[in-house]
Amino acid sequence: MPPTSALSTFMAGVRDTVPMLVGAAPFGMIFGALVGATALAPWQGQLMSLGVFAGSSQFIALGLMAGLAGTLVIWFATFIVNLRHMLYAAALLPHVRHLPQRWRWLLGFLLTDETFAVVDSYYRQQPQAPLGHWYFLGSGLSMYANWQCWTLIGLVFGSVFPQLQTLGLDFAMVVTFISIVVPQLLRLPHLAAALAAGSVAYGLKDLPFKLGLLAAIVVGVAIGMLLTQWRRPKTTLGRPA
């Protein structure tokens, strides 16, 4: 039976997000621990988690900072990476369009890959749920609190054991992204995007200011979007062609 109150709907969102909280925990801790390998102070690392709240962008920004990339390069790279959130927002907009602006701004800030997966599944099962925004809030806030907590633990851990930086912990960033990307390569658009981006990044690795990385991001996103559109069934008068 669907929850019938705002509180019970909120708690249902928290409950259904628990598996995502467990999965995100090590990434938050790794991020916090890696802050010490850059010029950022611990409080700045925590502030990044508080204000940015986007794991992939935070890892990319951290790597670019460690490589002494310029501010414009960091901003542009994180912007491109986060463009996928526009697709998430477009998918969920019909369910939150009626909400006041303060609600939409808050839910938009809390929208992550994990929260989208949970909330999208909820709305597919209950497309007319009148309290769905409370479910969305429960999922988003639980992810937000979880990320802040594990970032702080990572910061403390990295401060207590600074020698971890000499043990190759920064390579955990690479391993983290490999673990995120590889399971997605079963679909042709994802595989083609990864191969194209990797090829461009390698071919342009000698460009200054990490411009090769930016080019790789743009090419990868473009290839993925083109193939996704190409593979999508064409419709004629509202029916598949």
Side-chain angles (χ1 to χ4, degrees):
M1 181 177 179
T4 56
S5 70
L7 179 59
S8 60
T9 306
F10 177 90
M11 293 308 299
V14 175
R15 179 200 63 212
D16 293 346
T17 309
V18 168
M20 303 294 185
L21 304 183
V22 175
F27 299 127
M29 185 173 179
I30 290 171
F31 170 76
L34 289 177
V35 166
T38 70
L40 292 179
W43 69 267
Q44 292 173 317
Q46 188 69 59
L47 183 62
M48 185 185 290
S49 282
L50 286 166
V52 178
F53 185 45
S56 56
S57 292
Q58 290 179 223
F59 274 105
I60 287 174
L62 210 59
L64 291 173
M65 289 177 187
L68 303 179
T71 302
L72 185 60
V73 172
I74 295 172
W75 274 81
F76 188 69
T78 53
F79 172 76
I80 294 296
V81 168
N82 275 343
L83 280 179
R84 70 190 188 281
H85 287 84
M86 295 181 66
L87 301 177
Y88 298 162
L92 296 178
L93 181 59
H95 305 291
V96 300
R97 192 192 305 271
H98 64 287
L99 297 174
Q101 192 175 55
R102 64 181 182 277
W103 264 99
R104 284 182 278 129
W105 277 99
L106 174 60
L107 296 178
F109 174 73
L110 295 173
L111 183 58
T112 62
D113 301 311
E114 297 84 357
T115 296
F116 172 76
V118 172
V119 174
D120 183 61
S121 176
Y122 173 81
Y123 277 126
R124 287 180 184 275
Q125 299 173 27
Q126 304 181 55
Q128 305 300 325
L131 297 175
H133 53 293
W134 285 100
Y135 183 94
F136 194 154
L137 183 65
S139 176
L141 277 182
S142 60
M143 281 299 303
Y144 186 75
N146 183 68
W147 187 251
Q148 307 315 316
C149 177
W150 286 103
T151 295
L152 180 59
I153 291 174
L155 288 168
V156 172
F157 196 72
S159 298
V160 174
F161 301 102
Q163 67 273 20
L164 288 175
Q165 299 165 22
T166 65
L167 299 180
L169 183 60
D170 52 342
F171 186 69
M173 194 181 332
V174 178
V175 176
T176 295
F177 276 104
I178 291 175
S179 68
I180 292 173
V181 170
V182 170
Q184 307 297 324
L185 300 184
L186 299 178
R187 296 182 58 209
L188 178 60
H190 295 171
L191 177 60
L195 291 175
S199 300
V200 172
Y202 180 78
L204 302 181
K205 66 181 185 298
D206 294 327
L207 288 181
F209 308 114
K210 304 293 183 179
L211 293 177
L213 176 60
L214 293 184
I217 293 171
V218 173
V219 170
V221 170
I223 293 294
M225 292 182 66
L226 286 173
L227 284 177
T228 299
Q229 291 293 330
W230 175 68
R231 289 169 59 88
R232 183 173 297 169
K234 297 180 180 178
T235 58
T236 303
L237 297 178
R239 297 181 179 179

